[in-house]
Amino acid sequence: HGSVFETITKDTFASIKCLVPSLDDQQKIATILSSLDAKIENNNKINANLEAQAQALFKSWFVDFEPFQNGEFEDSELGRIPKGWKVGTYSDIIEGTISGDWGKESKQGNYTHSVACIRGCDFQDINQGIRGKTPERYILEKNYVSKHLKDKDIIVEISGGTQTVSTGRVCLVSDDMLQKYNYDLICTNFCRVVRPLINYSAYIYYSWLFKYNGKVMFGYENGTSGIKNFQINDFLTKELLLIPPVECSLQFQNIIKTLQKTIQTNGTESTTLSTLRDTLLPKLMSGEIEV
C-alpha cells in the first residue's frame, strides 16, 4: 500500500493465512533447531578463544619477549630487543604486493575465468572459518594467473573504513580456507594482497593485527570525500617493525597453523549445521518431515 512509499500495514498481516503446527510440535521443532544453534554458538566461542590465544602468543613472544628473557638484549630504535634480532620494515620480509580485480558480472569477451572475489566485508566470516558470501565474477585469464590467491597470502582492505574504524584490516589465506570454495579466488580491487617471504606469514599477519588494534593505521590514511584510502606502500616501507630470526618466526608459524586449522574446521562444521537448520525449518513447519 501507499501512494508515495510502499508500506506494509497491520491489516496485511491479519489477512495472511499460514499453517501453524501444534504447540507440542512447535516445542519439538524448537528443541531440534536450538540444539543446532547451540553447537554453532559453541564453535564460535571456541574459535574466538583460539584467535585470542594466537594474539596473546604473539604479544608474549614478540612484544614482551617472555620466552627470551634469559638471553642477551640490546638497544634499538624500538627499545630493548633480543640480541641478533633486527629492526626493519614490512618491505624487508615480503615478496611484494598484488592488486585485486573486479572483472565482470557475467562472461563476456575475454572475461571468461570464473572466480570468487573476496571483499573487505567478507573478512570477518573468513577469519572465523566461514566461507562467506563472496560473489562470483569473471576476469581475464592473464589476470587470474597474476592475481589468484595462494596459501599464506594476506589480504589487506585498502579503501573504506569510518571515523572510528580504520582501513588496513587483514585476512589470512590458508589452504584450508581455499578449499572451501568451488572457484578460484582473487580479492576485489578495494583490497591488496601482501605475499610474505617464506616462514614469515603468521608473524606478518599477527604483527599487523597488533598494530591495527593499536590504531596505527589511522596514521596512514588519506582521502576526505567519505571513502578513506590506506597508504599501504607507505606503511610497508616506513612503519618500523621488529624482525625476528627466521627460525623463531617459523616456530611461531607452526603453532599458528594448528590453531588456524582448527578454526577453519569449526567454521566448516558451523556452515554445514547452519545449512541443515535452514533446510529443516520449512520442512518441519510444513509437516513434510515429522518431528
Side-chain angles (χ1 to χ4, degrees):
H1 309 281
S3 58
V4 180
F5 298 104
E6 296 294 339
T7 61
I8 298 176
T9 66
K10 180 180 177 182
D11 291 340
T12 302
F13 288 101
S15 66
I16 296 175
K17 293 182 179 181
C18 61
L19 179 65
V20 181
S22 68
L23 181 59
D24 183 55
D25 281 348
Q26 289 181 48
Q27 291 172 335
K28 290 178 181 177
I29 291 170
T31 298
I32 293 172
L33 300 181
S34 294
S35 66
L36 296 175
D37 283 336
K39 177 57 178 170
I40 292 171
E41 180 61 25
N42 188 52
N43 282 346
N44 292 340
K45 289 180 179 179
I46 292 173
N47 281 358
N49 180 264
L50 290 171
E51 180 57 30
Q53 288 182 44
Q55 293 188 38
L57 183 67
F58 171 83
K59 184 175 183 298
S60 170
W61 282 30
F62 303 113
V63 178
D64 301 328
F65 308 121
E66 291 176 358
F68 314 105
Q69 289 300 320
N70 293 330
E72 294 184 61
F73 279 69
E74 56 188 5
D75 291 327
S76 77
E77 297 164 275
L78 296 175
R80 298 282 288 174
I81 63 173
K83 189 172 182 179
W85 295 30
K86 300 177 181 179
V87 174
T89 65
Y90 283 99
S91 61
D92 295 321
I93 51 175
I94 68 171
E95 292 182 14
T97 65
I98 302 168
S99 60
D101 199 345
W102 188 234
K104 305 292 185 181
E105 187 175 357
S106 59
K107 282 186 179 181
Q108 49 187 282
N110 292 327
Y111 291 82
T112 58
H113 197 114
S114 175
V115 294
C117 188
I118 294 177
R119 307 156 297 176
C121 60
D122 300 312
F123 284 13
Q124 183 174 355
D125 282 344
I126 291 171
N127 287 335
Q128 293 176 349
I130 301 171
R131 184 186 183 281
K133 298 179 180 179
T134 50
E136 179 186 4
R137 306 290 295 184
Y138 293 87
I139 64 173
L140 299 171
E141 182 64 32
K142 66 177 183 178
N143 285 0
Y144 165 73
V145 171
S146 61
K147 297 176 184 290
H148 69 278
L149 300 179
K150 297 181 180 180
D151 178 46
K152 298 182 177 59
D153 280 345
I154 297 167
I155 311 172
V156 184
E157 184 182 42
I158 59 172
S159 292
T162 66
Q163 292 302 312
T164 57
V165 178
S166 71
T167 53
R169 291 187 300 170
V170 283
C171 177
L172 183 62
V173 178
S174 68
D175 279 335
D176 292 306
M177 173 269 222
L178 293 170
Q179 290 170 12
K180 294 178 187 288
Y181 295 83
N182 298 322
Y183 307 97
D184 295 319
L185 257 67
I186 63 166
C187 68
T188 174
N189 45 12
F190 285 102
C191 295
R192 188 79 61 83
V193 175
V194 172
R195 185 152 290 166
L197 293 180
I198 189 169
N199 300 327
Y200 276 104
S201 176
Y203 177 74
I204 290 175
Y205 177 73
Y206 281 99
S207 67
W208 198 297
L209 270 185
F210 185 80
K211 291 178 182 292
Y212 183 86
N213 292 334
K215 311 297 184 183
V216 171
M217 279 58 179
F218 281 112
Y220 290 91
E221 290 184 329
N222 62 18
T224 58
S225 61
I227 297 179
K228 298 186 296 180
N229 297 310
F230 180 55
Q231 297 173 289
I232 186 170
N233 291 333
D234 282 351
F235 179 78
L236 292 172
T237 57
K238 296 179 181 179
E239 178 66 21
L240 291 182
L241 176 72
L242 179 64
I243 302 178
V246 66
E247 305 82 25
C248 181
S249 179
L250 175 59
Q251 187 179 0
F252 176 72
Q253 183 157 292
N254 287 337
I255 297 172
I256 294 301
K257 182 178 180 179
T258 300
L259 297 179
Q260 286 291 337
K261 187 173 185 65
T262 303
I263 289 173
Q264 291 296 326
T265 299
N266 288 341
T268 297
E269 182 181 58
S270 292
T271 299
T272 301
L273 292 173
S274 178
T275 301
L276 176 62
R277 177 198 60 202
D278 296 344
T279 302
L280 280 176
L281 178 58
K283 295 181 182 295
L284 290 168
M285 292 292 289
S286 67
E288 180 180 342
I289 296 177
E290 294 186 4
V291 182

